[in-house]
Amino acid sequence: MHPLTAFLADGSSWITFDVSGFKAEFWSLTFDGLAYGAIYALIAMGYTLVYGVLRLINFAHSEVFISGAYAVVFTLSFLGFGGSPPGLSTPALIGDLLLAMILAMVVSGIVAVVLERVAYRPLRKKGAPPLAFLITAIGASFTIQYLIEWWRGPNAENSVIMFIPKPLFSVFGSNVDDQQLIIFLAAIVLAVGVDQFLKRTRFGRGIRAVAQDPDTATLMGVNKERVIMLTFLIGGILAGAAALFYVMKVPSGVIYNGGFILGIKAFAAAVLGGIGNIRGALLGGLLIGLIGEYGATLLGNAQWTDVIAFVVLVLILMIRPTGILGESLGKARV
Amino acid sequence: MTTASSATRPANESAVRRFRNRWNELSRPQQWVALIPLVVLIYLIPEINAPFLASTSVDFATSMFHAAEFAMIALGLNVVVGQAGLLDLGYVGFFAIGSYVAALLTSPESMLAKIPYLATLPIAMIVTMIFGLLLGTPTLRLRGDYLAIVTLGFGEIVRLLASIIPVFNGNVGLDNVGHPPKLLGQTFSNTDAKPWYWLMVTLIIVILLFVGNLERSRVGRAWVAIREDEDAAQIMGVSTFKFKLWAFAIGAGIGGLSGALVGGQVSFVNNQDFSVPFSVLYLAAVILGGAGNKVGVMIGGFLVAYIPDRFNSLGDKKYLVFGVALVLLMIFRSQGLLGARQRLLARGRQAYRQLLGRPEPITSESSVTPDGGAQ
Amino acid sequence: MTEPAEQPTEQPTEPVEGGIVAEVERMTEAQRAEHAAEVADVVAPDRDIAVGVGDTLLEMREVTMRFGGLVALDTVNFDIKRGEILGLIGPNGAGKTTCFNAMTGVYRPTSGQVLLEGRAMGRRKRYQITRMGIARTFQNIRLFGEMTALENVVVGADARHKTSVPGALLRLPRHHREEREVVERATALLEFVGIADRAADKARNLPYGYQRRLEIARALATEPKLLCLDEPAAGFNPREKQDLMGLIRKIRDDGYTVLLIEHDMRLVMGVTDRIVVLEFGKKIAEGAPAEIRENPAVIAAYLGVPDDGAA
Ligand SMILES: Nc1ncnc2c1ncn2[C@@H]1O[C@H](COP(=O)(O)OP(=O)(O)O)[C@@H](O)[C@H]1O
Ligand SMILES: [Mg+2]
């Protein structure tokens, strides 16, 4: 056999076009994809907000998120959660999860704001070039990751199972479970909430003003520094919420570098939907979630998920360089 | 810390500047002659084996090979990041492709036809350049920030594919990668890094010459113009897309070459050594030394490779140290150890001398410090 | 100084004390004029232009430019004739810069066409438009800050050259030829606009006035058929403005066609041959400076809007 034929023929085992399996599972993949997508969307909103205001890819946002996930794990472990679901009554369970979420929001929010203070603000004061910001962001991301590794070691945290998902109802012959529904609805509620916050409140209008034209906004009396801090804070809070749902979905997925790939996919989601745009982040997140699930099943290997997410990102950017819903930033002027 | 550095800096900098001015006064042939002892010294380093330099974990020649490897990588990445201002966060992907090209074409465990190792070097460069073009064509039209994220994804994809696709043998990898034949009395093997070091240094010198040629030409000027203000460059007639693509492809090619060399030296390639932190280390080398400064980035590459070898006990904490160092560096000296410095005219010396009676831009060093302090 | 006859052109590559710049300082008036003529000769455009002097070089045909709901240019029509200095004036926000952006391909007009020498710009890229022969400066200076003044100008001159990676890598003959040409033209341009003494300084370290002139030199380096200057005198005091108008006249006399945006109407009267007036994206007047001065619509536009009011 010619070596090249062997090279190609060998492929049969690692890539399978499992169309019938894909068809059979289509709806259950869809529901799961939407749940994962909702988590990406919550993280993506943090990227989008910061990017909108500072034109900065806050590379360390994935670590803001993972800090929240650690907070969730610690809180729940403290409350007696572990490898099997606790036999709690529903109200007690909800209370515990809410507590974990609030603590995660606090931790992520604090990490985000401290990050802004320590790493980015000095650069802004100096008027450093954009590249310097991005590199600082990368440095900060590494710092947080390996601080966690130093403290917690290289292995994942023990899993904390919150509850066993129960099917609620069935759509097109596939079950939707309570977990999927909670995550999806929570993401929608938070997205709408942030959108309304930006539209209706004074702070929200301040954020949009700075995003559109920082100089004019400052002239109009908007406190730019406060707006920036607030933006990081909101992004952090959303990441904290994402952290709870992430642990809910992937109970044993909390590891020092666990935010990394998730963060990249969330950023991809933000770009996909149109960066600077909250609805875009939601749409992009859901799409990335769906595409990953579909692709992994179609190609017969879960490892394809990340590969596909990126390939789709590149393809969409080729067709629509400003994302699906378009950027909602002030256009650069010449 | 701040007070100490600001107290020592002026004296240091004026010494550096005096040295640079004197250096600038020399004609180019004189500069070449002046460099000969340095080059000889660099070649001799592994023979000298100074006890204070020797690292604790690996043997000295291997450690120097690592340093040279990083210097070459930094030189390649500098074309992309330092000169053209394109942020490539997936450089390790090109390095990986180069390694795999060398391994697939020489390892007995690969199912492809085998060719002599040295022939894999140009092939690795060409293949990685093609990948650079494939990745660059859709993304280089986009705004710069997107490139960062897409290249990052690319680096991960290469690693994932190396795990998924069977020919690459995943974690098991490809063993007994080839090596050059006996050359000038030197036997290449994976137990003695010295010949590999000499090969690497020689290739670095060749790359320096070529990259220097590019820098002092229309190409280098186009790159710096793009880095400084892409819109203005385009309006001044620079075909920005074409030159960005070139920068990207050239950077990729150098990354591929270094990958093929390292694959040969280690004699083993698997999917473990291509994770994103490497891309970040490479970038750290460039930024640390001073993006846009060829000598600077090589020093950066040397430090980034050598320090962890020397202080191997750090383990994974070296990433922590790098993370903190990057943040501090950006805050206190965002231009790196040596600031960006380029000569963009093949006949610049003559032109300045004719016009001003001075050989080279004298003011450029002072302006390298953006905060303008110190002086 | 003692042996003035020996110093000029004999051995140009010899290090001259102070170089050409210092030498020009030491020249007599007559020598200086002769040197200036030589410089102007190198700077003069050296390309074929399809239209004769006085004929239409660039035509704006029904150009409309919309940004969302805002109509920044509303069916604007005017011609630029080869060899003239055309003034484009109007209050702030009238659409003058947008007009430049539409001409130089920064934006595509929402509708209408821009034609150079009768050829429509169509969907040409920005760098192609530059090579076709339109060059510009920017209202807010956009130099390549880390490059020297000379290198900035050379980037402009590179627009007319062809060497790419293979040629530069192997230093092929064309590369050498172009490097020689480019440096010669760029040094002449720096002398022409009067900033040669700071040729070796990084652009961002130059004084403001030098930066404005450097932008002009860089644009001229592309050998444009039409040179567009966007408020080149912004931030200048009256004396500097006067000097700059002198330079613009000199550029025209050297064979270039100039389109000049200037906010200050009085100033533009002295230097232009014709003037087009924009207000709220519409052309409200066109004609010789004397006519424009008398035009009631123009007077209303300038009196109606406080001079520096609307941003
Ligand atoms: N990219 C853009 N997006 C939205 N509005 C723009 C853009 N460019 C210019 N404008 C608007 O077009 C109008 C004309 O602007 P401009 O051409 O800069 O005026 P001038 O140069 O005459 O002062 C202004 O109202 C300006 O705000
Ligand atoms: Mg304007």
Side-chain angles (χ1 to χ4, degrees):
Chain A
M1 192 160 43
H2 188 274
L4 205 60
T5 336
F7 185 93
L8 295 172
D10 196 54
S12 54
S13 55
W14 51 277
I15 184 163
T16 49
F17 291 98
D18 183 8
V19 179
S20 62
F22 173 67
K23 270 191 189 150
E25 290 179 53
F26 180 78
W27 289 108
S28 74
L29 289 175
T30 305
F31 303 141
D32 229 31
L34 288 176
Y36 278 116
I39 297 170
Y40 298 144
L42 287 174
I43 305 173
M45 287 174 211
Y47 281 108
T48 258
L49 282 169
V50 169
Y51 193 92
V53 169
L54 285 182
R55 303 289 187 278
L56 162 72
I57 300 178
N58 180 13
F59 211 86
H61 189 60
S62 48
E63 279 59 55
V64 170
F65 159 77
I66 208 71
S67 317
Y70 274 91
V72 171
V73 169
F74 291 156
T75 313
L76 292 182
S77 302
F78 179 76
L79 294 172
F81 288 70
S84 54
L88 288 174
S89 66
T90 311
L93 180 66
I94 292 178
D96 284 359
L97 297 192
L98 276 180
L99 179 64
M101 179 156 88
I102 289 167
L103 286 178
M105 287 172 160
V106 170
V107 168
S108 288
I110 290 175
V111 172
V113 170
V114 168
L115 180 73
E116 198 281 313
R117 282 271 163 129
V118 174
Y120 303 141
R121 185 173 294 184
L123 292 181
R124 263 205 317 283
K125 288 262 148 63
K126 266 182 63 175
L131 196 63
F133 279 89
L134 194 52
I135 288 167
T136 304
I138 295 171
S141 164
F142 264 62
T143 305
I144 301 177
Q145 270 185 46
Y146 286 92
L147 272 177
I148 297 178
E149 196 228 16
W150 193 6
W151 177 37
R152 303 298 304 169
N155 299 321
E157 297 296 315
N158 292 333
S159 75
V160 276
I161 294 173
M162 300 182 192
F163 57 92
I164 302 294
K166 279 188 297 291
L168 283 183
F169 49 86
S170 136
V171 183
F172 304 110
S174 292
N175 289 325
V176 177
D177 64 46
D178 45 5
Q179 203 175 64
Q180 292 164 339
L181 194 70
I182 291 173
I183 295 176
F184 182 73
L185 288 182
I188 302 279
V189 168
L190 285 169
V192 171
V194 173
D195 205 39
Q196 292 302 310
F197 175 82
L198 291 182
K199 289 224 175 80
R200 294 195 194 278
T201 65
R202 202 165 60 84
F203 279 130
R205 280 194 295 272
I207 290 180
R208 288 195 302 150
V210 174
Q212 264 155 26
D213 189 343
D215 298 334
T216 311
T218 314
L219 286 179
M220 299 303 199
V222 177
N223 181 341
K224 194 175 143 196
E225 289 302 317
R226 198 157 64 196
V227 161
I228 290 171
M229 201 176 85
L230 189 71
T231 311
F232 274 84
L233 183 65
I234 297 173
I237 288 174
L238 290 169
L244 178 83
F245 301 125
Y246 174 71
V247 179
M248 189 183 281
K249 196 92 184 106
V250 192
S252 57
V254 181
I255 182 169
Y256 73 101
N257 60 2
F260 190 79
I261 279 283
L262 214 66
I264 297 176
K265 287 206 282 190
F267 184 81
V271 173
L272 191 64
I275 197 155
N277 184 328
I278 292 289
R279 289 169 212 196
L282 182 63
L283 177 68
L286 296 177
L287 278 178
I288 292 269
L290 285 176
I291 293 163
E293 290 294 300
Y294 293 159
T297 305
L298 256 181
L299 302 182
N301 187 336
Q303 286 185 292
W304 284 108
T305 319
D306 299 343
V307 178
I308 292 162
F310 281 111
V311 172
V312 168
L313 175 71
V314 172
L315 290 179
I316 293 203
L317 287 178
M318 281 166 72
I319 304 163
R320 267 189 80 85
T322 55
I324 298 172
L325 297 187
E327 297 180 353
S328 73
L329 310 166
K331 278 250 172 67
R333 294 187 188 180
V334 175
Chain B
M1 192 218 139
T2 347
T3 46
S5 74
S6 62
T8 54
R9 205 194 277 167
N12 283 342
E13 289 212 339
S14 67
V16 168
R17 196 173 329 155
R18 241 179 295 134
F19 172 75
R20 274 181 176 168
N21 284 351
R22 190 157 329 146
W23 180 252
N24 285 337
E25 293 294 328
L26 300 178
S27 72
R28 201 149 276 148
Q30 283 173 320
Q31 289 179 345
W32 281 111
V33 172
L35 277 176
I36 287 175
L38 183 64
V39 173
V40 170
L41 183 69
I42 288 174
Y43 272 102
L44 286 182
I45 282 180
E47 297 284 13
I48 297 169
N49 206 354
F52 61 95
L53 274 174
S55 48
T56 48
S57 60
V58 285
D59 77 283
F60 186 57
T62 309
S63 162
M64 285 300 106
F65 175 80
H66 283 166
E69 166 198 341
F70 268 66
M72 182 189 276
I73 291 172
L75 206 50
L77 188 56
N78 182 48
V79 172
V80 186
V81 178
Q83 296 192 269
L86 306 167
L87 194 55
D88 182 346
L89 293 181
Y91 202 62
V92 75
F94 298 119
F95 179 84
I97 291 171
S99 289
Y100 274 114
V101 168
L104 283 172
L105 292 175
T106 57
S107 163
E109 280 147 38
S110 146
M111 52 186 66
L112 294 188
K114 306 298 173 295
I115 61 169
Y117 172 78
L118 284 180
T120 66
L121 297 184
I123 295 177
M125 287 188 83
I126 292 168
V127 170
T128 40
M129 283 178 92
I130 291 171
F131 273 93
L133 293 179
L134 286 179
L135 181 63
T137 307
T139 48
L140 288 173
R141 290 181 202 280
L142 305 173
R143 229 204 352 254
D145 313 329
Y146 290 162
L147 184 68
I149 217 75
V150 173
T151 49
L152 188 68
F154 166 77
E156 271 301 279
I157 288 178
V158 170
R159 192 178 65 83
L160 290 169
L161 289 181
S163 315
I164 302 173
I165 300 178
V167 277
F168 299 117
N169 266 359
N171 202 358
V172 177
L174 301 159
D175 211 342
N176 288 319
V177 179
H179 51 76
K182 212 164 169 200
L183 217 68
L184 306 172
Q186 294 299 323
T187 313
F188 286 82
S189 74
N190 63 347
T191 49
D192 183 8
K194 262 186 235 164
W196 290 98
Y197 171 80
W198 288 320
L199 178 63
M200 189 70 115
V201 170
T202 309
L203 288 172
I204 287 178
I205 293 174
V206 173
I207 291 174
L208 268 175
L209 290 177
F210 279 133
V211 170
N213 281 355
L214 289 177
E215 187 178 291
R216 288 185 301 276
S217 80
R218 181 165 178 263
V219 180
R221 294 189 289 269
W223 285 341
V224 176
I226 290 168
R227 183 186 80 197
E228 295 288 302
D229 186 337
E230 190 169 344
D231 284 321
Q234 210 168 39
I235 291 169
M236 285 305 131
V238 177
S239 170
T240 50
F241 178 65
K242 179 175 110 182
F243 285 109
K244 285 200 284 185
L245 207 52
W246 266 118
F248 210 64
I250 291 168
I254 297 175
L257 175 66
S258 49
L261 286 166
V262 172
Q265 193 270 334
V266 181
S267 189
F268 172 68
V269 176
N270 76 353
N271 64 359
Q272 294 301 296
D273 283 343
F274 308 124
S275 55
V276 171
F278 282 95
S279 289
V280 176
L281 286 188
Y282 301 156
L283 190 67
V286 170
I287 304 296
L288 173 73
N293 185 317
K294 295 193 294 286
V295 177
V297 299
M298 286 194 295
I299 295 173
F302 176 86
L303 292 176
V304 166
Y306 178 71
I307 291 174
D309 264 356
R310 181 78 179 77
F311 306 99
N312 203 266
S313 52
L314 274 177
D316 267 356
K317 282 191 213 72
K318 66 182 173 228
Y319 296 120
L320 178 59
V321 173
F322 274 122
V324 174
L326 277 185
V327 175
L328 292 181
L329 194 68
M330 285 301 108
I331 292 175
F332 294 108
R333 197 173 163 86
S334 49
Q335 74 275 30
L337 295 177
L338 307 180
R341 183 168 167 73
Q342 63 260 325
R343 293 199 181 74
L344 299 174
L345 300 165
R347 304 176 59 80
R349 291 166 162 271
Q350 294 95 319
Y352 292 118
R353 179 162 302 183
Q354 207 176 323
L355 207 52
L356 304 171
R358 285 186 258 124
E360 293 282 321
I362 300 289
T363 55
S364 57
E365 288 85 21
S366 65
S367 59
V368 152
T369 351
D371 39 32
Q375 289 89 41
Chain C
M1 193 67 230
T2 39
E3 319 146 311
E6 254 184 53
Q7 288 197 343
T9 57
E10 296 210 9
Q11 277 176 307
T13 45
E14 272 295 285
V16 186
E17 184 56 45
I20 294 177
V21 170
E23 213 180 304
V24 170
E25 289 286 309
R26 295 192 290 258
M27 284 177 177
T28 63
E29 273 305 314
Q31 282 172 323
R32 214 174 280 179
E34 192 185 329
H35 180 73
E38 277 166 25
V39 166
D41 211 43
V42 179
V43 168
D46 183 28
R47 39 196 317 216
D48 295 329
I49 301 183
V51 298
V53 175
D55 293 340
T56 299
L57 178 65
L58 181 130
E59 182 184 352
M60 295 284 282
R61 192 185 281 171
E62 307 274 304
V63 174
T64 297
M65 188 80 230
R66 254 188 222 108
F67 297 110
L70 181 97
V71 186
L73 289 179
D74 189 355
T75 48
V76 170
N77 281 298
F78 63 85
D79 293 347
I80 303 171
K81 312 245 186 286
R82 181 175 165 194
E84 75 177 342
I85 300 178
L86 181 73
L88 184 60
I89 66 170
N92 261 328
K96 305 180 296 290
T97 299
T98 305
C99 214
F100 269 29
N101 286 338
M103 282 178 193
T104 51
V106 173
Y107 300 141
R108 297 245 150 70
T110 315
S111 66
Q113 277 189 321
V114 181
L115 300 100
L116 182 70
E117 299 174 282
R119 281 186 299 161
M121 274 342 153
R123 302 190 61 81
R124 263 176 253 257
K125 305 227 161 54
R126 296 173 191 177
Y127 69 90
Q128 289 169 324
I129 290 175
T130 308
R131 292 182 196 170
M132 272 177 80
I134 303 181
R136 68 176 287 180
T137 64
F138 299 91
Q139 186 173 345
N140 43 342
I141 300 172
R142 294 183 75 165
L143 291 165
F144 306 122
E146 285 293 319
M147 291 189 188
T148 66
L150 184 66
E151 288 164 352
N152 264 279
V153 181
V154 168
V155 170
D158 278 337
R160 306 243 69 83
H161 287 159
K162 296 235 154 49
T163 297
S164 184
V165 170
L169 207 57
L170 306 172
R171 317 195 87 203
L172 299 180
R174 185 169 67 190
H175 161 80
H176 285 291
R177 177 163 42 78
E178 289 182 354
E179 287 295 312
R180 241 191 337 272
E181 278 173 19
V182 105
V183 162
E184 190 197 1
R185 188 168 160 72
T187 39
L189 272 161
L190 289 178
E191 285 197 75
F192 187 73
V193 301
I195 59 173
D197 56 322
R198 304 288 293 267
D201 285 38
K202 283 191 179 180
R204 64 183 173 78
N205 294 339
L206 292 174
Y208 179 77
Y210 273 57
Q211 293 193 351
R212 285 248 173 244
R213 284 167 181 261
L214 179 54
E215 273 219 329
I216 297 176
R218 185 179 65 173
L220 279 175
T222 67
E223 279 194 62
K225 294 170 182 171
L226 173 66
L227 174 69
C228 304
L229 304 175
D230 196 346
E231 301 201 23
F236 279 10
N237 64 35
R239 213 207 113 69
E240 291 168 322
K241 282 191 183 185
Q242 221 45 55
D243 287 350
L244 190 78
M245 293 305 145
L247 174 63
I248 292 172
R249 235 178 259 121
K250 194 166 88 169
I251 290 170
R252 192 265 309 272
D253 295 343
D254 209 26
Y256 291 94
T257 306
V258 180
L259 174 61
L260 170 68
I261 291 184
E262 182 46 65
H263 188 63
D264 181 339
M265 202 165 104
R266 271 152 309 179
L267 196 109
V268 91
M269 292 293 164
V271 69
T272 55
D273 301 307
R274 274 188 326 127
I275 293 176
V276 169
V277 190
L278 290 180
E279 190 193 13
F280 297 127
K282 287 201 178 66
K283 185 177 87 176
I284 56 168
E286 177 174 1
E291 295 162 33
I292 296 296
R293 206 192 320 256
E294 309 292 307
N295 188 311
V298 178
I299 293 166
Y302 271 81
L303 293 179
V305 184
D307 211 24
D308 286 301

